[in-house]
Amino acid sequence: MCGTNRRKTKQQPCSSANSSIHPSIQPIPAHSLGEGRGSPWTGNGGSTLYALQQLDDIYGKALGQLRVILIHAGGFSQRLPSASALGKIFTAMPLGDPLYQMLELKLAMYVDFPSHMKPGVLVTCADDIELYSIAEEEHVMFHKPGFTALAHPSSLSIGTTHGVFVLESCEKSQQVEMEISSCLRFLHKPSIKTMHDCGAVCKRPDGSLSEFVYTDSTYFIDFETVKTLRNLLKELGPLQCEIDAYGDFLQALGPKASLEYTDNIANVTKEESCLVEIRQKIFWLLQGTPLNVILLNNSKFYHIGTTLEYLFHLTEDVALRSELGLQSSAFSIHTDESSGSCVMCSVLDPSCSVGAGSVVEYCRLGAGVSVGRGSVVSSCWVSPGLSVPDAVFMHSLCVSHQGRTGFVTVAFGIDDNLKHSVEAPAHMERLRLFECSLADCLSHWGMDSEVLRFSGDTPSCSLWNACLFPVCSDQRSSFSLSLEMLKAVLSGSTFALTKGTKLMSMQESLQSKNLEEMLTFRKGLYKDITERRQKN
């Protein structure tokens, strides 16, 4: 990471970040960790436990000498569907040549950690960026027993959607860039009232009336505690419910931790009868384990886990663009870089236009194609002359269907909630697609509400599992067909699909995804961009 002569500033990746990863960081192939060890509903906490067990199977006693980084790849990514097929850890970032992904950025941000870390596991998410500044002579050190978490000053409103630390003392006599504190308890997505009642709210040392809390990001587990977590999996057996690596692990820590949280299922994707019992077992196993907090007072935490956050941070956020050196056009053939948009690993005809606030990634755009304002176009091949409206999300996936390769392009409004569900198709008018009820959308497409299929084995119905999008034989036809359906709704006109057209949901497309072909498309873009740049 680049720095200055006097300050150690983790805010600007060097151009050689790919080659400067610490020599002690050695990647473990995904297949080495195995697949299918647990229920798909085990959550990031369950996947953490299974990964630790796999590491023990592979390394045995040698694991006690290793420093491991464990990154949660991103789950279903229903709030940022362009990352669903490959995982959020492979989300493109508009910097680097060739293009960086979130994985390279994470490794670059943490490049100094291994040399100041005892054996253990560093746990982090794939959809956040932490930037901080500390004095040149200081280091972020992970050497204490138990858990050690990074903490960032945040507004109380941000605290309601993150984890919040309750410290021994929130009174600050002076503002230092980094300090170590013990944590009394951890609150997971608390209300503002709960923050005040539990003593989590701090006041700034300058005497101002502004209040703040310390929120979570990355945390470290020393090896002795890792062994405790491995034993937990042996005690629990095969997991059949969702465990959260933050809410369920960290809430059990600290001298003021209590069992109250084990009954709270507000943030659980799928409720299971065994959840409370398993949470209680985690609590009793981890109770008494220290939770140390490294307060990074001069730091920022950026979350890029939703479509709106993704658009804002990559196109409008002046601070992040400056701090990381984000580009408007990264590893792309794109002539117009002044529109306030972001284009990544894409080939655009010179006559194309991309509206302000839009992101185009891994795409081919033909002559005269226009993309409106505030839209996401991902992994698409757009035929000449087509126009993408404002504030829409379009993403193409390659699927294997009936022994053949096909393509599906999903289309949603930027503000559509893919997680919102209703109990039965009869209530689909409560599902909103492109600001219209789903029932109204079907009428524009000449489709009967009674025959609409919802994929999956659960009775709930949502935009995520609604089979709305046609399967086509090629990528360009797939995009054109979904775009016609989208425009029919926005214009109030009608559009009828050919009789017998196979329709898939986003959920079903992921279950049938053909990653090899999707990566082949990206490789073709890489080759084309490289060759064109060499010629120029």
Side-chain angles (χ1 to χ4, degrees):
M1 305 293 284
C2 293
T4 63
N5 291 331
R6 295 188 179 183
R7 314 240 37 96
K8 187 176 293 183
T9 306
K10 311 303 182 192
Q11 295 188 343
Q12 177 66 40
C14 298
S15 59
S16 59
N18 277 336
S19 60
S20 64
I21 300 305
H22 195 280
S24 67
I25 298 179
Q26 298 296 326
I28 300 171
H31 65 269
S32 299
L33 293 182
E35 295 181 357
R37 290 290 294 268
S39 159
W41 298 103
T42 58
N44 56 24
S47 66
T48 297
L49 295 180
Y50 280 113
L52 295 179
Q53 181 59 58
Q54 287 281 339
L55 289 170
D56 185 60
D57 293 345
I58 296 169
Y59 292 100
K61 292 183 178 179
L63 183 60
Q65 303 300 317
L66 299 181
R67 296 156 181 82
V68 177
I69 180 170
L70 194 156
I71 308 176
H72 300 134
F76 293 128
S77 191
Q78 290 174 286
R79 297 183 298 170
L80 185 61
S82 53
S84 296
L86 276 79
K88 288 181 181 177
I89 191 59
F90 298 113
T91 299
M93 297 300 295
L95 71 166
D97 191 356
L99 195 68
Y100 286 13
Q101 295 175 315
M102 185 62 82
L103 176 59
E104 284 93 355
L105 185 57
K106 281 281 180 181
L107 294 179
M109 288 191 299
Y110 301 155
V111 69
D112 288 341
F113 287 178
S115 56
H116 304 285
M117 177 189 299
K118 63 189 295 188
V121 177
L122 187 74
V123 178
T124 186
C125 292
D127 59 3
D128 59 51
I129 299 170
E130 307 96 22
L131 304 178
Y132 63 93
S133 177
I134 58 177
E136 180 66 28
E137 67 276 6
E138 291 185 316
H139 302 281
V140 174
M141 302 185 69
F142 301 101
H143 59 92
K144 291 181 176 291
F147 287 71
T148 301
L150 301 183
H152 313 273
S154 303
S155 67
L156 272 61
S157 61
I158 289 178
T160 61
T161 58
H162 291 79
V164 174
F165 299 100
V166 180
L167 307 177
E168 287 185 336
S169 173
C170 283
E171 297 298 328
K172 305 295 177 185
S173 59
Q174 59 179 344
Q175 183 72 27
V176 295
E177 289 187 316
M178 183 178 71
E179 53 188 316
I180 311 298
S181 176
S182 294
C183 184
L184 299 177
R185 65 183 298 189
F186 177 85
L187 308 173
H188 188 55
K189 299 183 179 180
S191 67
I192 291 179
K193 182 178 185 303
T194 299
M195 294 180 217
H196 278 288
D197 292 345
C198 294
V201 179
C202 301
K203 294 184 178 180
R204 301 195 181 278
D206 58 7
S208 65
L209 298 178
S210 58
E211 298 176 325
F212 69 99
V213 291
Y214 283 101
T215 54
D216 63 338
S217 62
T218 296
Y219 66 81
F220 171 78
I221 316 170
D222 79 315
F223 182 67
E224 290 302 314
T225 308
V226 168
K227 291 193 293 184
T228 300
L229 290 175
R230 288 207 322 265
N231 293 335
L232 170 64
L233 185 59
K234 294 176 182 178
E235 180 180 337
L236 297 176
L239 296 174
Q240 298 299 326
C241 64
E242 179 180 321
I243 298 176
D244 190 89
Y246 292 82
D248 292 333
F249 292 169
L250 299 187
Q251 283 190 108
L253 309 177
K256 289 193 175 182
S258 72
L259 273 170
E260 294 176 8
Y261 75 90
T262 59
D263 293 321
N264 184 355
I265 57 171
N267 298 304
V268 176
T269 302
K270 184 178 181 181
E271 182 182 351
E272 295 288 354
S273 57
C274 61
L275 178 60
V276 173
E277 179 184 357
I278 288 179
R279 281 180 167 178
Q280 290 177 352
K281 287 184 178 180
I282 294 173
F283 176 83
W284 292 117
L285 189 72
L286 292 178
Q287 189 184 36
T289 303
L291 175 55
N292 310 290
V293 182
I294 299 175
L295 308 179
L296 297 172
N297 291 315
N298 189 13
S299 68
K300 292 182 180 179
F301 174 90
Y302 296 93
H303 187 253
I304 311 183
T306 71
T307 305
L308 290 175
E309 290 172 337
Y310 180 70
L311 287 171
F312 172 71
H313 289 309
L314 268 58
T315 66
E316 298 182 47
D317 189 344
V318 176
L320 181 61
R321 288 174 62 83
S322 173
E323 290 161 353
L324 280 182
L326 301 183
Q327 304 165 19
S328 296
S329 180
F331 194 67
S332 294
I333 304 301
H334 178 220
T335 55
D336 181 11
E337 300 183 17
S338 60
S339 65
S341 61
C342 178
V343 177
M344 298 179 285
C345 197
S346 296
V347 176
L348 279 64
D349 186 270
S351 59
C352 291
S353 64
V354 181
S358 288
V359 172
V360 174
E361 61 161 11
Y362 299 111
C363 288
R364 291 185 182 274
L365 272 58
V369 168
S370 64
V371 177
R373 300 169 65 90
S375 292
V376 174
V377 183
S378 171
S379 302
C380 297
W381 194 335
V382 186
S383 297
L386 296 182
S387 176
V388 179
D390 296 342
V392 298
F393 171 92
M394 299 192 72
H395 173 60
S396 296
L397 301 98
C398 181
V399 298
S400 297
H401 174 60
Q402 296 180 345
R404 297 181 178 180
T405 297
F407 293 88
V408 175
T409 297
V410 297
F412 302 103
I414 287 296
D415 293 319
D416 290 344
N417 185 351
L418 276 63
K419 284 188 170 186
H420 175 64
S421 63
V422 294
E423 56 275 15
H427 304 291
M428 72 172 65
E429 70 275 0
R430 285 159 34 198
L431 298 176
R432 307 290 294 180
L433 178 63
F434 311 128
E435 299 185 353
C436 297
S437 74
L438 183 54
D440 287 342
C441 292
L442 296 180
S443 68
H444 288 294
W445 301 328
M447 295 172 60
D448 194 330
S449 300
E450 282 71 26
V451 299
L452 175 62
R453 184 171 62 90
F454 289 87
S455 60
D457 56 1
T458 60
S460 62
C461 306
S462 65
L463 296 183
W464 181 257
N465 69 343
C467 297
L468 302 170
F469 309 108
V471 181
C472 299
S473 59
D474 67 275
Q475 196 169 356
R476 280 174 286 187
S477 297
S478 167
F479 183 89
S480 298
L481 202 54
S482 292
L483 181 62
E484 287 192 74
M485 295 173 67
L486 160 63
K487 287 190 171 182
V489 175
L490 296 182
S491 65
S493 59
T494 58
F495 172 78
L497 292 168
T498 304
K499 187 175 181 180
T501 300
K502 169 68 176 179
L503 300 175
M504 278 190 176
S505 65
M506 180 66 190
Q507 180 193 59
E508 203 169 37
S509 299
L510 290 175
Q511 293 170 344
S512 307
K513 66 184 178 183
N514 186 330
L515 278 181
E516 184 175 349
E517 286 298 320
M518 293 172 71
L519 292 175
T520 296
F521 178 68
R522 293 192 179 190
K523 290 177 182 177
L525 287 169
Y526 175 87
K527 181 180 179 182
D528 198 358
I529 293 168
T530 302
E531 290 178 352
R532 292 196 193 191
R533 293 172 67 182
Q534 288 174 346
K535 289 180 182 179
N536 295 332

